[in-house]
Amino acid sequence: MSDRKTIAFWCEKSGSSDETFAEFHVNLWHFSNKKREDFFEIGVMVDDPSVLSSIKVFVPFKLGYEQIGDLGSKFIEPNLAQGIFNETLAPEFAPNKRSIELNSGVGTYCGVHIFSTDNARINQSELGLQPIDGGTLLEITSAALNSLARQSNPKVRPGYFRLRLHPQISRGRPFVTYITPTDKALGSGYEAIEYIDCRLNEARTVPAAVATAASEAPHGVAKMKRVVFLAVVPVVSSVTSSHAEWHKSRLLENEIWEDYVPQGLDDGMVVYHWRKIFDAKDEKMLQGFSAFVKMQTRKADISLIFIYVGISLLLGVLGSVVASYFLSSSGGDDSVRLSFPSSIIHASEFPDSCLKNECLGGYSTGD
């Protein structure tokens, strides 16, 4: 069974003599609001889509077509395209609207595929789904690859695919584990600890059935050039440790990303960027990468605050009830009577008004 932390990906070549390179992107969007669901995105960039027969991605969750969204059409927005690739780009639709060509100053940076749809869902002829080992194997088919390649004929340019995945998890969030503080009940505020654990092509944790499927590619797989992992988290969350120093980080610009994210951005979100570049001479079939990030966030539990207020009110009410009980049991006389031995205090030391019980609530000098 999948450990719910490992993603596997590979690009199958259409011929044994064909050579191309690929890079893989994973973006995890993590929100602090418990009512919002996390999601993640996968992107695949291939130098030459025409020499591939399929792109396969294993994710450790069960998915249906209703949980997968195509992000290709989003790249028509110049600021968004530039924000994702960190390049100055001018997007334009291909003549048949099946791709968006991102043009740079020296030519076409890449073409972004737009999947065909059927009833508002990605058409199965371009994206296949297969349940495997507790997760799902996604296959970007030759139909999608050939469609993207045709947009640039006769020239060859890189092709890019980008999908958003919304896994339905009964407990927790994808790739994020929350640790309940032991002192949570002792105060209205506490330090919440979460960690992100996402493994890409890690041989030790890739399910055996998935590794076998990759090894059985008839003409081999494309070489991996680079893996990029981005974690988008609330700015109030401090990254206290990670598997490696991040490549860079920045605050997301609301005016660019607000419409890109379902339900918009939370107030203040920052993106941390890790990457691993592989040696072109490495013949290893599945190039691995592991992302481990520990975060700490100061939180306030509103329910605990209400509990504390309720306890305070209850103690006040109980105090009043106890005081009333003792007053009623003393006969209802609310004066305080003091008795002093005559050997200590003589009546002549007090004024007449006190002798008439008009001060100190009354007293007596009985022996």
Side-chain angles (χ1 to χ4, degrees), residues 109-253:
Y109 179 79
C110 74
V112 183
H113 183 62
I114 299 176
F115 285 87
S116 61
T117 58
D118 182 13
N119 293 326
R121 297 179 181 179
I122 297 176
N123 195 295
Q124 297 184 29
S125 66
E126 294 196 356
L127 181 68
L129 300 182
Q130 176 189 346
I132 182 172
D133 208 337
T136 305
L137 184 64
L138 291 78
E139 179 183 359
I140 299 174
T141 67
S142 59
L145 287 159
N146 292 334
S147 172
L148 184 56
R150 283 195 300 269
Q151 311 306 317
S152 64
N153 281 341
K155 296 172 63 176
V156 174
R157 55 90 173 94
Y160 189 65
F161 301 85
R162 193 176 181 99
L163 298 170
R164 177 177 290 158
L165 311 180
H166 293 269
Q168 300 297 316
I169 303 173
S170 58
R171 296 180 61 185
R173 299 173 181 239
F175 308 112
V176 179
T177 300
Y178 175 79
I179 300 176
T180 303
T182 55
D183 60 346
K184 180 178 178 179
L186 301 180
S188 58
Y190 59 93
E191 298 292 337
I193 296 175
E194 297 171 301
Y195 66 86
I196 298 171
D197 186 6
C198 183
R199 306 165 191 177
L200 313 176
N201 279 359
E202 187 183 64
R204 185 173 58 87
T205 55
V206 170
V210 175
T212 300
S215 65
E216 292 177 348
H219 303 292
V221 301
K223 291 183 178 180
M224 190 59 57
K225 182 165 56 177
R226 181 170 63 170
V227 170
V228 176
F229 177 77
L230 281 78
V232 186
V233 300
V235 71
V236 295
S237 298
S238 301
V239 174
T240 57
S241 65
S242 68
H243 69 292
E245 184 64 29
W246 55 81
H247 172 57
K248 57 185 177 181
S249 64
R250 74 177 193 275
L251 191 69
L252 287 185
E253 306 87 348

Side-chain angles (χ1 to χ4, degrees), residues 266-332:
D266 284 353
D267 291 335
M269 297 198 74
V270 63
V271 56
Y272 294 92
H273 178 166
W274 290 266
R275 68 178 183 177
K276 184 174 182 180
I277 300 173
F278 299 103
D279 188 344
K281 298 179 181 179
D282 196 334
E283 297 296 329
K284 192 174 181 180
M285 183 179 59
L286 296 182
Q287 299 281 13
F289 174 82
S290 180
F292 177 83
V293 184
K294 181 182 176 182
M295 300 180 298
Q296 192 166 315
T297 309
R298 182 69 182 174
K299 293 187 176 183
D301 194 325
I302 300 300
S303 61
L304 281 177
I305 294 175
F306 281 119
I307 290 174
Y308 294 151
V309 171
I311 291 175
S312 299
L313 293 174
L314 180 61
L315 289 175
V317 171
L318 287 175
S320 297
V321 171
V322 171
S324 299
Y325 171 78
F326 280 110
L327 286 174
S328 62
S329 64
S330 63

Side-chain angles (χ1 to χ4, degrees), residues 3-135:
D3 66 353
R4 292 189 180 276
K5 299 181 186 300
T6 300
I7 297 176
F9 52 90
W10 65 95
C11 302
E12 297 189 1
K13 298 188 295 184
S14 56
S16 57
S17 61
D18 296 327
E19 287 296 339
T20 190
F21 290 86
E23 63 180 70
F24 191 73
H25 306 160
V26 176
N27 295 355
L28 175 64
W29 294 78
H30 175 55
F31 302 96
S32 58
N33 189 336
K34 293 181 180 180
K35 295 181 180 180
R36 293 195 66 173
E37 293 182 347
D38 290 357
F39 60 85
F40 67 102
E41 299 165 352
I42 55 174
V44 185
M45 177 82 81
V46 293
D47 288 351
D48 185 358
S50 67
V51 302
L52 298 179
S53 62
S54 66
I55 297 172
K56 294 186 177 179
V57 182
F58 169 79
V59 295
F61 313 103
K62 294 180 179 179
L63 290 172
Y65 284 97
E66 71 281 1
Q67 297 165 271
I68 303 173
D70 174 30
L71 299 175
S73 61
K74 300 281 188 181
F75 285 79
I76 197 61
E77 171 56 46
N79 289 333
L80 182 65
Q82 291 173 175
I84 290 175
F85 290 117
N86 198 28
E87 298 279 351
T88 301
L89 301 170
E92 63 177 359
F93 280 107
N96 65 357
K97 306 289 187 180
R98 290 299 312 281
S99 73
I100 293 175
E101 302 299 306
L102 302 181
N103 300 308
S104 65
V106 294
T108 303
Y109 179 79
C110 74
V112 183
H113 183 62
I114 299 176
F115 285 87
S116 61
T117 58
D118 182 13
N119 293 326
R121 297 179 181 179
I122 297 176
N123 195 295
Q124 297 184 29
S125 66
E126 294 196 356
L127 181 68
L129 300 182
Q130 176 189 346
I132 182 172
D133 208 337

